[in-house]
Amino acid sequence: MRRDVGFAVFVREHTPALLRTAYLLTGNGAAAEELVQDTLVRLYPKWERVEEADAPLAYVRRSLANAYVNHQRRAARREFAYADVPERMDERDALGQLADRDELWNRLATLPERQRAAIVLRFYEDLSDEDTAQALGCRIGTVRSLISRGLATLRTHMSTDTAYCSPQAGRAT
Amino acid sequence: MRFLPRGRRARADAHLEAALRATLTEHARHAPAADVLAERILAAVDAPPPARDLYGRPPARPRAWRSWATPLVAAASVAAVAGAVVGVAHLTAGTPRPVAAPPPPQSSPVQHSGDRVFSTLGHPHARSRSRPSPRSSYASPPPSASVAAGLRGVRVLDLTFTGTDDGWALASADCLYRTGRCTAVLRTRDGTHWSGMPGAAFNVPGVQHCAAPCVTHLRFADDRVGYAFGPSTMFMTTDGGRSWQRQPGGALALETLDGNVIRVVAKGTGCPGPCHVQVETAAIGSTVWSLAQLPPNGPPGSGWFGAGVQFARGVGGDAYLLLQGNPAGGAGRATSQLLRSTDAGRTWSTVGEPCPQSGAEVDSYQLAAGGGGRVSALCATRQVPQRWFVATSTDAGAHFAGQPGTIPPAAAGGLLNGDPATVLISAGRRIARSTDGGRTWTLVARPAGPFTFLGFENAQVGRAVTRRGNAIWTTRDGGLSWTRSAAFG
């Protein structure tokens, strides 16, 4: 198969952003890589259609989110391999901060996939409700519902988080 | 749900959303690097699709698996280690030079790893002083300019040790005399100072996108004989790594112990993971490989296959091969199969899935073999939130028992190493250890991962490499404390 030049340019330019989104969706580096790879490989035969889209990146992101939501990448959960990532090893990183971040991160993993996808697209990609709806292939109202329910679930479990740390909050229960 | 007044609820929501954004932003930084993946994607669309799968069916859809992966474990012996020291090295800037036939086509890329842990010291590896010349389709490049210099941009991919302080590392590094990355095989005799060895005739991940010949792992049997291998490539050295000769085939995993070497190979293509998995054994340094007897799997000719392969060897001739199940899109069960050998890989029997299934499906991820027939499997429930734990066996894998301890999430999902009789180590983003056979786990304060390598020479001495690969961490107290024994700029 002859590689499309535009495809190669797109892959090299946008794989980092897609990989970050995929990582937030899957919570697993190997699964994220597989999700991105499978999404792009699957789109490649119809790449002309992608390029003709108003926003090719949004088109690909929509495919990525759909692939995730549709459970097509569940096999990736079995993987745990790490790529050779030039990650920063921050010796000053406080373990306590790590634990705090991990807490919310772990809760996020418990959300249904559509809720998690909606939250990632809304609060990480900063997509509007309309764009999030387009990415997920659903209505705006559905997106708002997904986000609302996702936040409610996270809020329910946040018994001691900063949002409720004030004395007033404690008395309000 | 708690009731909050409207204003306070709005503030709480704002806090939650802010915390969410911060968490997502922070964790996005832990996403894998994209450069290697981008090239792998481009290579995937260039590659012709397999005509038929194992059963003669057309491929369902393109699927590419990681061509190299993680867990790697060091060889047998003790390594003493000092504090953090920058290694000084020679590094060849040579480029692999194919001189004969082109390399064989890439076999199915797989997720794989080889594990061996807690091997005892001083194994009498058989040395063959007069060996037949290996068939070589690649000649080692002529010694290129090699100067003593501080290694820069080193990314350690794999470690292997054969004696006290005697070790090798497979790595990539910045080229000395030109831009880009070069393959680096590094040598240490004190566990601290590393020097580059010219003559590496292969690519590694991070070098030319690991174009063929591509190796991903390194194992040395003794101070002379070593193997550099990838799924479709194998090189052998008989002079301690100064020169390498191409060998037929490749290896998904390879381990040397007790005088012989066992490699796991995939003979077929078309599966999502490795196809027609076979096991071959050879005397150390020999170019003659014997096909091991695997039990039948399904209809005649089906062979063994899986989504990934885990291979571990224990002291005393025990060997374990885990063929991980493939959920095939996530709809069905994904039962793994453990094969075990008690005669150094010559014959094998089927055990089934080592991780105990209770209600929802439990997946088997990793193997860690110890001595005395002890072997551990890293298990996780399929259902989220996942629970990670170990199942252990004391009868060479014949029976496994799930342990009650839950591995802390921060240390789960990556690598497992150790022996339930002494200490078990689990490494994910952080490291946790268990000294009671997996009944309880304790997080270790440092270092911070994620880790791509976790290997133990014995119950006290072990090493870990973080994902960046520019430092080697060493423990000498069974994983309780770790020091950065080598750091590369």
Side-chain angles (χ1 to χ4, degrees), chain B residues 44 79 105 151 161 192 225 260 267 387 414 455 471:
Chain B
L151 285 177
F161 282 79
T192 301
V225 180
N260 88 330
K267 296 291 188 181
R387 175 183 173 253

Side-chain angles (χ1 to χ4, degrees), chain A residues 1 3 7-8 11-12 15-16 19-20 23-24 29-30 33-34 36-38 40-41 44 71 73-75 77-89 91 95 101-102 104-105 108 119 123-124 126 151-152 154-156 158-159 163-164 168-169 172-173, chain B residues 2-4 8-9 12-13 16-17 19-21 23-24 26-28 30-34 36-42 45-46 61-66 68-70 111 310 324-325 327 329-330 334 336 363 365-366 413-414 429 445 449 451 466-468 473 484:
Chain A
M1 190 181 298
R3 183 195 303 169
F7 177 78
V11 167
R12 291 195 171 105
T15 293
L19 196 52
R20 285 193 292 271
Y23 181 75
L24 295 177
E33 288 188 343
E34 192 178 9
V36 171
Q37 178 164 335
D38 276 13
L40 288 169
V41 170
Y44 178 70
H71 297 265
R73 308 269 30 99
R74 183 166 295 178
R77 291 180 183 168
R78 299 181 56 80
E79 296 189 51
F80 39 81
Y82 299 111
D84 54 342
V85 183
E87 50 105 30
R88 292 183 297 110
M89 187 165 58
E91 301 292 343
L95 296 179
R101 288 196 297 268
D102 285 346
L104 191 53
W105 176 250
L108 201 59
I119 283 179
F123 294 107
Y124 177 72
D126 277 328
L151 291 177
L154 295 174
R155 191 186 304 119
T156 300
M158 289 185 71
S159 57
Y164 298 97
Q168 293 85 351
T173 57
Chain B
R2 293 177 173 213
F3 169 78
L4 290 178
R8 200 171 301 148
R9 176 65 165 273
D13 283 348
L16 176 59
E17 292 180 11
L20 256 179
R21 292 180 193 277
T23 297
L24 293 171
E26 171 62 25
H27 280 273
H30 296 291
V36 175
L37 175 63
E39 299 308 319
R40 202 160 64 215
I41 292 170
L42 296 177
V45 301
D46 280 343
R61 62 186 175 88
R63 176 175 186 135
W65 293 72
R66 306 173 61 80
W68 73 283
T70 41
Q111 172 197 3
Q310 293 285 315
Q324 295 170 306
S336 299
D363 294 321
Y365 282 85
Q366 283 267 313
R429 297 193 307 279
F451 299 93
T466 56
R467 192 164 58 180
R468 190 174 179 183
W473 293 81
R484 189 156 50 185

Side-chain angles (χ1 to χ4, degrees), chain B residues 248-303:
Chain B
L252 305 175
L254 178 151
E255 295 293 348
T256 69
L257 194 65
D258 296 329
N260 88 330
V261 55
I262 304 176
R263 69 174 177 179
V264 181
V265 300
K267 296 291 188 181
T269 59
C271 305
C275 267
H276 281 294
V277 173
Q278 296 179 347
V279 175
E280 296 176 343
T281 64
I284 289 174
S286 171
T287 59
V288 179
W289 293 84
S290 301
L291 188 64
Q293 294 180 355
L294 296 183
N297 179 38
S302 298

Side-chain angles (χ1 to χ4, degrees), chain A residues 53-101:
Chain A
D54 292 337
L57 179 58
Y59 188 107
V60 174
R61 189 188 292 125
R62 182 165 65 245
S63 296
L64 185 101
N66 279 327
Y68 167 73
V69 170
N70 291 334
H71 297 265
Q72 292 178 0
R73 308 269 30 99
R74 183 166 295 178
R77 291 180 183 168
R78 299 181 56 80
E79 296 189 51
F80 39 81
Y82 299 111
D84 54 342
V85 183
E87 50 105 30
R88 292 183 297 110
M89 187 165 58
D90 188 359
E91 301 292 343
R92 300 166 299 177
D93 195 11
L95 296 179
Q97 292 176 353
L98 272 176
D100 291 342
R101 288 196 297 268

Side-chain angles (χ1 to χ4, degrees), chain B residues 396-415:
Chain B
H399 304 88
F400 281 85
Q403 298 302 319
T406 296
I407 301 172
L415 310 172

